[in-house]
């Protein structure tokens, strides 16, 4: 493969990587630089902006203020009646329901995949992964075709004579958004669960059964604790992106449901209100930090990386 | 708890001899129930996509009834749309450049994380995963503010490639570290003992073993960039990428072309995935096992 044409160059490369310290520097510094410049710095700056304001010329006024934060929660009524509080709570609820549904649905499938090898495994994992690899926008759009008063579901029900008017459940709104989000993030949950179940020693399950444990008892005392890392990391990878979702609520809510991601996007692209948008984003950022901190109480980072 | 999860699974023979007939029947019913659940889940995952694919060939492109027949007209109109094809090409270019950057950074970082100890390593890994988890709206806004007001850049291809390179980084990092953790270091030691220099060892032993994971990471990062709308919406400037075109197609209701281009993309990705799964055994890496069937 590698011929000895330029021996001196080779030696230079080898000696460059000879000391562990220098190798660490070579391997670590590019990504460190990237993460600092394109993740840490922007996020830090966003925190700063959230305490500043912008003037009519869209320039930043460098004067610390809490106006953005108080502005989020002031309206004609008490703070729980403000639009921001509403959409924040709605987002938490929708993301929570989505996470639970993903967990309930992915668990049996992950178990099935972990206990089955060969061809069945390959075919099913292909059928699961293909929608996952398909563009998010396409999947949101495909559900957009299904829902609505004259969407595929309602039209089909009407034409087959099962119902005689469009069913509200299949119109755009919260149920449609939840379905779209479950469809979008289900594979994250499945892959996390599968990763932890794949490493599970099923002889422990059999031992529990032999020793007289019931099926539910085995599930509760053996399977669930052993797959906890997968459950937690899967929930994290579903809950956090669902919280800040934008496309799905936009198309499947049709203006009737305002999640926090849409609210922020609207302010930024509509009015370039980066101060307001930053302050609102802080609630998502803080939620992520809290979710991660909670997760780390139960699993280590190695187990979390199993996705 | 952590100790057990690391052990390898022997798939137990499921046809265990059971003492009672009732037990066996219940076992069979449960297994059949599991098959039904798996089937229903696959239907759920596929039904909207299948409906969309069907509609891409239908004359009336937004609903089944009244059905007016099949046509290829939507496809010919889509491929004749110059601006749409430019957007597709732009997306391919952005995805390729950003996935390349993400792969180089991710592979290097994986070696550092798996093989060396350094202060704040755990924290570093958490930050490495963050770009994948953090909602696109937040990352998009943070970056547009940063690019515009701190760096004074104009939004365009460069800012988009930079954004997607940081977005794709965790996908490469996760896959390559998973592979390196299961990597048998004694193979490298053996090569060194047999007289290979470090560079030869890396090229002939380490890289071939890690290569499929690198490929899977690249593929993942590429697709994530290709399909991203929200980050591109913020930092893409006036650049027209495919998701931005598709977004406005949905918004202004031109369903025929949307069905056709979507179906076409699903088809291309299906072929790519099937090839990757059969040639490079991507499944193992994607499913996070790092092992796969080749062992």
């Amino acid at each position: 493969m590698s011929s000895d044409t330029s021996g001196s160059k080779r030696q230079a490369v080898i000696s460059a990587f000879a000391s562990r310290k220098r190798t660490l520097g070579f391997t670590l510094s590019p990504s460190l630089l990237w993460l600092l410049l394109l993740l840490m710095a922007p996020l830090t700056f966003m925190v700063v902006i959230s305490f500043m304001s912008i003037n009519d010329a869209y320039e930043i006024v460098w004067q610390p203020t809490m106006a953005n934060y108080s502005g989020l929660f002031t309206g004609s009524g008490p703070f729980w009646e403000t639009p921001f509080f509403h959409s924040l709570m709605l987002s938490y609820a929708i993301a929570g329901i989505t996470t639970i549904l993903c967990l309930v649905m992915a668990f049996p499938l992950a178990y099935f995949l972990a206990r089955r090898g060969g061809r069945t495994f390959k075919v099913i994992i292909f059928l699961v992964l293909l929608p996952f690899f398909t563009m998010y926008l396409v999947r949101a759009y495909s559900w957009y075709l299904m829902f609505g008063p004259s969407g595929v579901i309602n039209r089909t029900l009407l034409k087959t004579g099962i119902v005689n008017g469009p069913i509200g459940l299949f119109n755009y709104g919260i149920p449609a958004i939840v379905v779209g989000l479950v469809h979008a993030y289900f594979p994250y949950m499945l892959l996390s669960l599968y990763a932890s179940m794949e490493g599970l020693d099923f002889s422990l399950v059999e031992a529990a059964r032999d020793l007289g444990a019931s099926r539910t008892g085995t599930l509760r005392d053996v399977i669930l604790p052993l797959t906890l890392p997968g459950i937690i990391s899967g929930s994290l990878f579903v809950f956090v992106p669902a919280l800040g979702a934008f496309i799905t609520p936009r198309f499947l809510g049709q203006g009737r449901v305002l999640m926090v991601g849409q609210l922020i996007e609207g302010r930024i692209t509509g009015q370039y209100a980066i101060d307001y948008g930053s302050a609102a984003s802080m609630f998502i950022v803080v939620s992520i930090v809290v979710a991660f901190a909670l997760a780390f109480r139960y699993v280590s980072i190695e187990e979390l990386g199993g996705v | 708890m952590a100790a057990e999860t690391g052990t390898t699974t022997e798939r137990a023979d499921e046809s265990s001899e059971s003492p009672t007939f009732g037990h066996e029947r219940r076992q069979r019913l449960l297994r059949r129930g599991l098959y039904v659940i798996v089937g229903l889940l696959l239907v759920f995952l596929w039904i909207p996509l299948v409906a969309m694919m069907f509609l891409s060939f239908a004359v009336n492109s937004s609903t089944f009834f009244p059905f007016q027949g099949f046509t290829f007209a939507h496809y010919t109109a889509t491929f004749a749309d110059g601006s749409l094809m430019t957007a597709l090409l732009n997306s391919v270019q952005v995805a390729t450049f950003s996935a390349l950057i993400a792969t180089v950074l991710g592979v290097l970082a994986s070696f550092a994380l798996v093989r060396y100890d350094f202060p704040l390593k755990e924290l570093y890994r958490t930050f490495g995963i963050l770009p994948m988890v953090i909602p696109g709206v937040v990352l998009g806004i943070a970056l547009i503010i940063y690019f515009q007001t701190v760096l004074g850049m104009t939004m365009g291809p460069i800012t988009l490639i930079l954004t997607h390179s940081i977005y794709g980084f965790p996908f490469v990092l996760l896959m390559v570290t998973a592979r390196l953790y299961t990597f048998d270091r004694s193979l490298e030691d053996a090569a060194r003992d047999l007289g290979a220099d470090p560079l030869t060892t890396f090229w002939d032993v380490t890289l071939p073993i890690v290569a499929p994971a690198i490929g899977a990471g690249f593929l993942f990062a590429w697709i994530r960039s290709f399909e991203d709308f929200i980050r591109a919406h913020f930092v893409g400037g006036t650049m027209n990428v495919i998701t931005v075109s598709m977004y406005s197609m949905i918004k202004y209701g031109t369903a025929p072309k949307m069905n056709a281009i979507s179906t076409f993309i699903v088809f291309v990705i299906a072929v790519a995935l099937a090839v990757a799964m059969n040639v490079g055994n991507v499944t193992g890496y994607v499913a996070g096992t790092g092992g796969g069937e080749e062992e």
Side-chain angles (χ1 to χ4, degrees):
Chain A
M1 194 169 186
S2 48
S3 55
D4 291 318
T5 41
S6 48
S8 59
K9 229 185 219 170
R10 261 181 100 76
Q11 277 312 313
V13 171
I14 291 171
S15 64
F17 282 92
S19 94
R20 288 180 76 81
K21 212 170 183 176
R22 231 187 294 168
T23 313
L24 182 62
F26 270 125
T27 50
L28 196 62
S29 45
S31 60
L32 183 64
L33 183 74
W34 231 249
L35 284 172
L36 282 176
L37 275 180
L38 293 170
L39 184 74
M40 294 317 296
L43 286 179
T44 312
F45 194 65
M46 192 180 201
V47 177
V48 174
I49 293 294
S50 76
F51 290 104
M52 302 296 158
S53 58
I54 53 167
N55 60 21
D56 292 338
Y58 300 117
E59 286 158 344
I60 300 159
V61 181
W62 295 103
Q63 213 144 50
T65 167
M66 286 299 286
N68 298 316
Y69 288 95
S70 59
L72 291 174
F73 295 107
T74 45
S76 49
F79 78 87
W80 59 85
E81 280 177 16
T82 55
F84 180 75
F85 188 79
H86 260 267
S87 66
L88 191 65
M89 288 304 122
L90 188 71
S91 303
Y92 278 128
I94 289 177
I97 296 168
T98 302
T99 309
I100 292 166
L101 279 176
C102 279
L103 183 61
V104 170
M105 288 164 63
F107 204 87
L109 186 55
Y111 181 83
F112 180 86
L113 287 173
R115 300 220 66 171
R116 208 141 285 264
R119 246 194 127 60
T120 330
F121 173 83
K122 229 177 177 180
V123 169
I124 292 184
I125 203 85
F126 179 78
L127 288 174
V128 172
L129 285 180
L130 187 52
F132 183 41
F133 275 101
T134 301
M135 297 166 84
Y136 184 100
L137 196 65
V138 168
R139 290 188 288 156
Y141 169 72
S142 67
W143 282 111
Y144 169 77
L145 284 175
M146 301 294 279
F147 282 95
S150 59
V152 171
I153 300 175
N154 266 326
R155 276 289 184 106
T156 309
L157 288 176
L158 277 172
K159 279 287 159 182
T160 48
I162 297 171
V163 297
N164 46 19
I167 298 192
L169 184 69
F170 300 124
N171 288 354
Y172 302 117
I174 291 174
I177 293 174
V178 170
V179 168
L181 288 175
V182 168
H183 193 255
Y185 298 122
F186 174 81
Y188 279 113
M189 180 66 88
L190 181 78
L191 294 177
S192 295
L193 284 178
Y194 173 75
S196 71
M197 269 194 216
E198 215 271 333
L200 190 117
D201 187 353
F202 281 98
S203 63
L204 292 171
V205 176
E206 269 133 46
R209 296 281 292 140
D210 285 345
L211 291 169
S214 66
R215 270 177 220 286
T216 43
T218 312
L219 182 68
R220 192 188 56 228
D221 296 334
V222 180
I223 301 179
L224 280 182
L226 288 178
T227 50
L228 193 67
I231 294 174
I232 290 174
S233 62
S235 303
L236 205 61
F237 289 126
V238 173
F239 183 81
V240 171
L243 188 65
F246 168 73
I247 295 173
T248 305
R250 166 91 213 223
F251 288 127
L252 295 173
Q254 285 295 307
R256 266 181 263 173
V257 185
L258 190 67
M259 281 178 74
V260 72
Q262 293 164 276
L263 190 135
I264 297 173
E265 193 273 350
R267 285 297 183 94
I268 297 280
T269 48
Q271 306 156 11
Y272 199 64
I274 56 173
D275 49 349
Y276 176 93
S278 298
S281 300
M282 279 308 117
F283 286 85
I284 298 182
V285 173
V286 170
S287 307
I288 297 171
V289 173
V290 170
F292 263 89
L294 281 175
F296 285 151
R297 291 177 59 154
Y298 300 99
V299 295
S300 72
I301 181 90
E302 270 95 0
E303 292 168 316
L304 203 67
V307 82
Chain B
M1 181 182 91
E4 274 104 341
T5 49
T7 57
T8 51
T9 317
E10 292 141 41
R11 287 206 170 80
D13 197 24
E14 280 181 65
S15 58
S16 54
E17 59 274 29
S18 47
T20 59
F21 178 69
H23 176 81
E24 207 166 60
R25 241 183 83 181
R26 205 158 44 176
Q27 188 93 353
R28 217 171 36 223
L29 270 175
L30 274 172
R31 204 177 310 156
R32 215 164 280 168
L34 196 57
Y35 273 105
V36 171
I37 292 172
V38 171
L40 285 176
L41 284 171
L42 289 178
V43 168
F44 168 71
L45 288 178
W46 274 96
I47 205 154
L49 292 170
V50 170
M52 183 192 74
M53 288 171 187
F54 180 88
L55 290 172
S56 76
F57 295 104
V59 174
N60 46 330
S61 50
S62 61
T63 189
F64 286 155
F65 300 104
F67 184 67
Q68 290 165 354
F70 292 107
T71 174
F72 281 105
H74 307 318
Y75 282 91
T76 38
T78 304
F79 290 111
D81 187 332
S83 72
L84 199 61
M85 291 300 114
T86 313
L88 191 62
L89 189 68
N90 285 342
S91 280
V92 169
Q93 286 171 336
V94 167
T96 306
F97 282 122
S98 57
L100 273 175
I101 298 173
T103 306
V104 171
L105 297 173
V107 170
L108 288 173
S110 304
F111 273 93
L113 279 173
V114 174
R115 302 208 163 166
Y116 299 95
D117 274 319
F118 52 91
L120 301 177
K121 187 168 152 176
E122 301 298 84
L123 189 72
Y124 190 73
R125 205 197 314 241
T126 313
F127 278 113
I129 301 174
L130 212 54
M132 169 179 116
V133 186
I134 199 162
V137 172
V138 176
L139 192 64
I141 293 174
L143 281 166
I144 191 178
I145 299 172
Y146 175 73
F147 284 142
Q148 270 182 346
T149 58
V150 179
L151 301 181
M153 293 170 86
T154 324
M155 297 305 116
I158 304 288
T159 51
L160 186 55
I161 288 170
L162 287 175
T163 303
H164 280 174
S165 71
I166 200 81
Y167 178 44
F169 172 73
F171 296 99
V172 181
L173 187 73
L174 284 175
M175 265 163 229
V176 179
T177 49
R179 187 60 175 155
L180 284 174
Y181 273 121
T182 57
F183 183 95
D184 188 358
R185 289 294 299 268
S186 60
L187 289 172
E188 283 182 356
D189 296 338
R192 298 281 286 131
D193 284 347
L194 292 169
D197 64 40
L199 205 60
T200 312
T201 309
F202 180 77
W203 275 114
D204 292 352
V205 179
T206 315
L207 202 60
I209 295 178
V210 185
I214 298 176
F218 178 85
L219 186 70
F220 235 108
W222 195 94
I223 289 178
R224 284 288 167 264
S225 162
F226 184 78
E227 73 159 10
D228 170 62
F229 163 73
I230 189 77
R231 294 164 195 81
H233 173 60
F234 282 117
V235 302
T238 53
M239 193 190 186
N240 201 11
V241 289
I242 189 72
T243 45
V244 173
S245 308
M246 287 164 97
Y247 179 81
S248 49
M249 273 158 98
I250 306 173
K251 209 169 148 190
Y252 301 112
T254 44
K257 281 184 192 172
M258 182 64 194
N259 288 335
I261 192 85
S262 301
T263 306
F264 174 70
I265 288 170
V266 172
F267 177 74
V268 171
I269 290 174
V271 172
L273 188 63
V275 169
M277 273 175 73
N278 285 307
V279 176
N281 182 33
V282 167
T283 11
Y285 310 101
V286 172
T289 61
E293 291 142 50
E294 64 194 4
E295 279 155 354

